[in-house]
Amino acid sequence: MRAFKLVAILFLVLQLVLPMSVSAQEAEGIDYLALGDSLAAGIQETGELGLSYADFLAFSMAEEYNLSSYNKGFSYPGYTTLDVLNDIKNNVTKPIYNVDGLQSESVAIRESIANAEVITISAGANDILKSFNKETLEFDLKGAFEGVQQMGKNYEAILKEIATINPDAVVFIMGYYNPFPYLDEDLQVQLDALVSAINKIIQDAAYNGMALFVETASYIAEDFKTYLPNPQNIHLSEAGYKLVADLFLTELYYYFYENAESFEEIEFLTFTDTEGHWAEEYISFIAMSGIMSGYEDGSFKPDQALKRVHVATIMGNVLGIEATQAAPFKDISGYAEETQQKIAAVYETGIMRGNDNYLKPEEKVTRAQMALMMSRLYEYVFEKSYEPKKIAPFKDIQYYDVETQKAITMLYELEIDKGKGEGKFAPKNEVTRAEAAQIITDFVFSTWFE
């Protein structure tokens, strides 16, 4: 899944739907504790100590929330799940280690757990690596799978200890990735099976202990040469640690969304012509996200039809990416440079296409065309096409091509657009600004939170 401007939208969602209990904690400050091995400590692909996923997660939390404290001082290279468990049981005291480095002040681990609102754990790899022979590049499979089983028991014990000390803490456990993607293909089958077994055990322990599992294996495997650039070292690059931090952030979004209260207490942005409009809350959300904006006179013009240039700008705002080159369209030179850049970005992603090097920017956008662009947005974000169960039962879409019918069906199946009544989608109708606000808002919630 690609990361882009929707990540910023999700920060907005998190702020909007934050439960009252979390809001109160945020006012006082959020304490973040990272437990685990070298991945939390920050060992780089060079073998040197640097910034870890926990550090990048702390940076993000500091930017978005009132992060009161952060400590990774209990995270040590070589740590196993048993080491983490023993530290908690023995209530060890260690120096605080945060983004400013090693501090002179020390703290006991049970006190740190008691004060934390958010706890992350990355441990388990070292439980298994002792069964790997670096000389022969072979695994003692029996020993490895015994280690996996013991790791699960240790995780269950760790989570019970944490729950006893601080039942209100939100605990996130990192899933593991294949650390040896450069080895021969015949070994990859064993490695994949082992990584799957490790993650299944961690997932089960997390579920039983009311913690949240953070999947990393598939994301790192997609571009392992970037995230694991050193074949002689199993540790992540800075890009890899940033990726893992983003995956933790996504799970934070999910957690807060699923535990959120209703939108009734939210103070939405208002416009002079949206009060009482059916799309009032959608319009406010989309304006607060920066995807669409109102006019200088304080209006939004919710029922105004959208032109292709407007949709290109909106999609450009959603993507939040820069184009690598100018768009080839001959009819956009009269628009502002910023608008042309957004058109170019949307064109590069394949979301909006022209005809014979013409965009036709002043042409109104139909509901069928909007569905197509949302389908292409889905494909760009999730790097796969949406495959409907069956074509939506609208009477008026049967003469459209298969791509368009599937796009309309995506909106229908995701409950983004159920049509205009009487079994019709009204594909030729023009899309209004209000409809665009609703479609994009529901796209965010339907695809990221379901």
Side-chain angles (χ1 to χ4, degrees):
M1 181 171 61
R2 300 178 192 270
F4 59 105
K5 179 65 179 290
L6 275 181
V7 171
I9 299 176
L10 291 172
F11 273 121
L12 174 63
V13 174
L14 179 56
Q15 293 165 356
L16 290 178
V17 303
L18 210 58
M20 295 303 292
S21 61
V22 178
S23 297
Q25 291 173 348
E26 184 179 342
E28 300 172 2
I30 294 177
D31 296 285
Y32 167 37
L33 174 66
L35 304 175
D37 53 22
S38 54
L39 299 179
I43 298 297
Q44 308 294 298
E45 78 275 16
T46 59
E48 299 175 346
L49 186 64
L51 295 176
S52 68
Y53 76 84
D55 294 315
F56 289 115
L57 181 56
F59 290 146
S60 295
M61 293 174 70
E63 288 176 1
E64 299 299 325
Y65 311 105
N66 180 20
L67 184 64
S68 179
S69 70
Y70 158 60
N71 182 18
K72 66 172 183 179
F74 298 100
S75 300
Y76 271 63
Y79 252 32
T80 64
T81 54
L82 183 60
D83 291 320
V84 175
L85 177 59
N86 286 337
D87 275 3
I88 298 173
K89 284 184 173 181
N90 297 325
N91 195 25
V92 298
T93 296
K94 293 182 180 179
I96 293 171
Y97 201 121
N98 55 30
V99 293
D100 295 320
L102 189 65
Q103 305 298 302
S104 59
E105 181 184 356
S106 295
V107 65
I109 191 169
R110 295 177 79 89
E111 178 185 347
S112 296
I113 292 171
N115 292 331
E117 281 76 46
V118 174
I119 299 173
T120 61
I121 309 175
S122 56
N126 293 306
D127 298 50
I128 315 304
L129 286 174
K130 58 187 178 182
S131 299
F132 179 69
N133 189 319
K134 293 182 180 179
E135 300 296 328
T136 63
L137 301 180
E138 293 179 348
F139 267 104
D140 170 11
L141 290 180
K142 183 176 181 294
F145 279 100
E146 287 177 353
V148 169
Q149 297 299 319
Q150 185 59 50
M151 178 192 66
K153 294 176 182 178
N154 291 342
Y155 257 122
E156 289 179 359
I158 290 169
L159 293 174
K160 285 180 181 177
E161 291 282 345
I162 291 174
T164 300
I165 300 167
N166 183 356
D168 296 324
V170 186
V171 182
F172 299 88
I173 304 177
M174 177 181 166
Y176 276 88
Y177 53 88
N178 178 0
F180 303 112
Y182 294 95
L183 294 184
D184 293 341
E185 289 185 11
D186 57 344
L187 290 174
Q188 295 305 318
V189 175
Q190 294 182 22
L191 287 168
D192 289 342
L194 187 58
V195 170
S196 295
I198 292 171
N199 286 332
K200 179 64 168 59
I201 290 293
I202 295 176
Q203 278 183 295
D204 290 345
Y207 179 80
N208 294 332
M210 302 299 289
L212 297 169
F213 175 79
V214 181
E215 201 273 331
T216 67
S218 62
Y219 296 98
I220 292 172
E222 285 180 2
D223 191 7
F224 68 83
K225 291 184 178 179
T226 296
Y227 303 133
L228 290 165
N230 186 354
Q232 307 303 318
N233 193 301
I234 65 173
H235 292 96
L236 298 168
S237 63
E238 182 174 293
Y241 282 124
K242 287 180 178 179
L243 169 70
V244 172
D246 285 343
L247 295 173
F248 270 94
L249 279 175
T250 300
E251 291 302 325
L252 274 169
Y253 301 145
Y254 288 153
Y255 171 79
F256 286 125
Y257 175 75
E258 290 172 354
N259 291 273
E261 297 175 354
S262 70
F263 286 85
E264 293 178 359
E265 298 181 8
I266 299 170
E267 183 177 348
F268 285 97
L269 286 178
T270 58
F271 296 93
T272 58
D273 54 353
T274 60
E275 185 176 355
H277 194 280
W278 67 267
E280 180 179 3
E281 291 187 359
Y282 292 112
I283 291 167
S284 182
F285 174 85
I286 210 73
M288 292 171 75
S289 73
I291 299 302
M292 297 177 70
S293 58
Y295 291 87
E296 291 183 358
D297 63 0
S299 67
F300 187 81
K301 298 180 173 40
D303 299 316
Q304 183 182 81
L306 281 176
K307 299 176 181 179
R308 286 174 62 79
V309 65
H310 297 149
V311 177
T313 301
I314 292 168
M315 289 293 183
N317 289 338
V318 169
L319 294 170
I321 61 175
E322 294 184 3
T324 60
Q325 58 186 0
F329 303 125
K330 301 175 182 178
D331 52 356
I332 64 172
S333 59
Y335 292 95
E337 182 64 27
E338 182 181 1
T339 300
Q340 292 187 51
Q341 297 219 355
K342 288 176 181 177
I343 291 171
V346 174
Y347 172 75
E348 278 190 15
T349 63
I351 292 171
M352 181 173 277
R353 305 166 185 171
N355 188 10
D356 293 330
N357 289 335
Y358 287 92
L359 179 68
K360 299 182 180 178
E362 294 298 309
E363 190 175 275
K364 302 291 177 59
V365 175
T366 66
R367 284 170 49 76
Q369 291 168 340
M370 187 69 181
L372 265 176
M373 286 184 276
M374 295 307 298
S375 176
R376 292 166 185 166
L377 175 62
Y378 180 98
E379 183 173 354
Y380 175 78
V381 174
F382 297 101
E383 300 179 272
K384 63 180 181 180
S385 300
Y386 182 88
E387 289 300 327
K389 298 172 183 176
K390 62 179 181 179
I391 298 301
F394 296 119
K395 304 173 185 176
D396 52 357
I397 67 170
Q398 58 184 322
Y399 296 113
Y400 283 83
D401 59 45
V402 174
E403 183 187 7
T404 303
Q405 290 188 46
K406 285 185 175 182
I408 292 170
T409 301
M410 182 192 79
L411 298 184
Y412 176 78
E413 289 185 346
L414 295 178
E415 299 187 358
I416 294 172
D417 194 327
K418 303 297 280 186
K420 291 295 186 179
E422 299 181 352
K424 296 181 179 180
F425 183 75
K428 295 181 180 180
N429 283 17
E430 295 171 350
V431 175
T432 66
R433 285 169 56 80
E435 286 177 320
Q438 174 264 314
I439 288 170
I440 293 171
T441 301
D442 280 345
F443 177 82
V444 172
F445 283 90
S446 295
T447 57
W448 286 71
F449 296 118
E450 293 298 330

